[in-house]
């Protein structure tokens, strides 16, 4: 059995704006989805996860089902068993769909010796996200493949973010497809209002590039908080997210904002050296689930070749 894993991510800047070609800065985090694969004798496709045990099934396991179909371009896949285990909550804005897609492609890449490069994996994973979600940017799949801190669309690796990251999960399910659609509608109804907002979100990533290399988290934090206000303006906030954002800021976070599509899902806070626990407690007291994590430089990786 071959096992590969891929990380989730948080957005420091730029979700939604990146769909319209503006810049975003995204950071891989040490929360991973593991995918194990082995050939099965009975020429049967089996996909197992907390969502259940299915065959090729575009309702229950859409990403992995499309992965198998796409990988048939490179290999003669007949019978295979795929087991998914994830530290990433589904539909929470932490890039769980990108991580399962990227880890599945790499696991099958190894099992069938397809010879796909990392660039090839990122590209195939992005094609699959677009098939499932509609208008998806390459951000989540690229960062999950490459790891580190990445500026999109430039695909430029920045220095690692060297401070604790606290994620707060509202446990309210959010559909990326629906939220991206809502923003598209708002943009087409009020182009003169919404386009400048998306442009200004992109400008924050441009300003932050230099700040990341200087490790100036205080100024990065000020910009992240402005980004949060603009995400609220384009309608992707919610009472639950705001409550966690203000709880984190009130307990000393450098910054706190939505990460990912919004609506529900997760917020992200940058913490100082000694206050990640305080921020996590404040998030929990405000009704969220807190996870303290770190930026990781490692993208998709082989965990084991046997057993
Ligand atoms: C979702 O994680 C991020 C969005 O910008 C959509 C995308 O980039 O595909 C909302």
């Amino acid at each position: 059995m071959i096992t590969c894993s891929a990380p989730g991510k948080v957005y420091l800047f730029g979700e939604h704006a990146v769909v319209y070609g503006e810049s975003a800065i995204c950071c891989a985090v040490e929360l991973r989805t593991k995918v194990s694969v082995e050939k099965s004798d009975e020429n049967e496709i089996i996909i197992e996860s907390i969502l259940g045990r299915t065959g090729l099934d575009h309702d229950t396991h859409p990403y992995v089902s499309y992965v198998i179909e796409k990988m048939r371009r490179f290999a003669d896949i007949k019978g295979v068993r795929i087991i998914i285990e994830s530290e990433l909550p589904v539909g929470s804005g932490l890039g769980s769909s990108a991580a399962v897609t990227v880890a599945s492609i790499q696991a099958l890449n190894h099992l069938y010796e397809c010879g796909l490069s990392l660039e090839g994996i990122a590209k195939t994973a992005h094609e699959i996200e677009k098939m499932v979600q509609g208008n998806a940017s390459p951000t989540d799949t690229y960062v999950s493949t490459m790891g580190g801190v990445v500026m999109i669309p430039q695909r430029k690796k920045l220095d690692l973010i060297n401070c604790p990251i606290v994620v707060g999960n509202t446990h309210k399910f959010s559909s990326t497809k629906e939220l991206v659609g809502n923003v598209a509608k708002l943009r087409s109804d009020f182009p003169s209002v919404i386009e400048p907002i998306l442009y200004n979100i992109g400008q924050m990533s441009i300003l932050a590039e230099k700040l990341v290399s200087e490790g100036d988290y205080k100024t990065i934090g000020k910009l992240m908080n402005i980004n949060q206000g603009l995400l609220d303006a384009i309608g992707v906030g919610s009472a639950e997210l705001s409550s966690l954002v203000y709880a984190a800021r009130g307990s000393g976070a450098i910054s706190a904002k939505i990460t990912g599509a919004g609506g529900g899902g997760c917020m992200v806070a940058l913490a100082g050296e000694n206050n990640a626990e305080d921020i996590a407690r404040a998030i929990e007291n405000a009704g969220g689930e807190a996870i303290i994590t770190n930026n990781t430089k490692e993208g998709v990786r082989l965990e084991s070749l046997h057993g």
Side-chain angles (χ1 to χ4, degrees):
M1 189 159 256
I2 290 176
T3 303
C4 289
S5 77
K9 58 92 211 2
V10 293
Y11 274 89
L12 300 183
F13 301 99
E15 50 273 268
H16 289 288
V18 72
V19 174
Y20 300 95
E22 299 296 345
S23 293
I25 297 181
C26 208
C27 167
V29 290
E30 204 35 84
L31 297 167
R32 292 186 164 260
T33 296
K34 266 193 205 169
V35 175
S36 302
V37 294
E38 66 183 357
K39 290 182 187 168
S40 86
D41 299 334
E42 292 97 36
N43 285 347
E44 197 188 352
I45 306 282
I46 302 163
I47 309 171
E48 291 176 34
S49 75
I50 50 158
L51 302 174
R53 181 186 155 105
T54 70
L56 268 189
D57 180 334
H58 296 87
D59 293 322
T60 310
H61 291 122
Y63 295 95
V64 178
S65 296
Y66 281 119
V67 167
I68 294 167
E69 286 169 358
K70 280 257 179 206
M71 292 301 282
R72 282 182 168 151
R73 283 190 309 198
F74 308 107
D76 183 22
I77 303 177
K78 292 204 176 77
V80 70
R81 180 164 170 241
I82 302 187
I83 301 165
I84 303 153
E85 290 166 285
S86 189
E87 297 166 348
L88 290 160
V90 176
S92 65
L94 296 182
S96 61
S97 53
V100 75
T101 307
V102 167
S104 304
I105 295 173
Q106 182 65 307
L108 293 174
N109 190 29
H110 278 287
L111 186 66
Y112 291 96
E113 298 177 0
C114 304
L116 271 182
S117 66
L118 287 181
E119 286 292 340
I121 291 171
K123 184 169 171 283
T124 308
H126 181 217
E127 286 165 9
I128 291 167
E129 271 219 330
K130 279 196 290 192
M131 287 164 85
V132 182
Q133 279 175 28
N135 202 2
S137 78
T139 323
D140 293 20
T141 40
Y142 193 81
V143 176
S144 188
T145 307
M146 305 296 176
V149 180
V150 183
M151 192 162 177
I152 298 282
Q154 297 83 349
R155 294 173 190 237
K156 187 168 175 188
K157 278 246 183 163
L158 308 185
D159 289 344
L160 287 185
I161 298 295
N162 194 13
C163 64
I165 294 169
V166 187
V167 170
N169 190 354
T170 62
H171 283 298
K172 187 176 161 193
F173 180 79
S174 82
S175 154
T176 301
K177 187 174 183 176
E178 198 179 309
L179 285 146
V180 168
N182 293 349
V183 174
K185 168 91 173 58
L186 212 56
R187 181 172 172 267
S188 92
D189 288 347
F190 308 108
S192 62
V193 176
I194 302 299
E195 280 172 13
I197 295 179
L198 298 171
Y199 170 79
N200 283 318
I201 291 177
Q203 288 306 296
M204 282 185 258
S205 296
I206 308 274
L207 288 176
E209 183 186 351
K210 181 161 165 280
L211 301 170
V212 170
S213 69
E214 292 166 353
D216 183 353
Y217 301 123
K218 204 166 158 206
T219 312
I220 291 171
K222 283 185 190 161
L223 291 172
M224 284 173 70
N225 290 348
I226 298 173
N227 194 160
Q228 166 64 16
L230 297 184
L231 287 170
D232 260 334
I234 60 171
V236 301
S238 68
E240 293 86 349
L241 281 165
S242 287
S243 149
L244 304 191
V245 162
Y246 282 105
R249 288 187 198 165
S251 64
I254 299 171
S255 58
K257 66 178 270 295
I258 291 165
T259 177
C266 290
M267 47 71 67
V268 59
L270 294 187
E273 255 171 53
N274 301 314
N275 65 0
E277 300 282 351
D278 294 344
I279 296 164
R281 208 167 309 117
I283 287 172
E284 301 255 343
N285 288 339
E289 184 195 349
I291 308 172
I292 301 174
T293 183
N294 282 300
N295 186 193
T296 174
K297 68 176 192 325
E298 274 191 286
V300 65
R301 72 181 179 216
L302 180 64
E303 296 285 345
S304 73
L305 275 174
H306 310 284

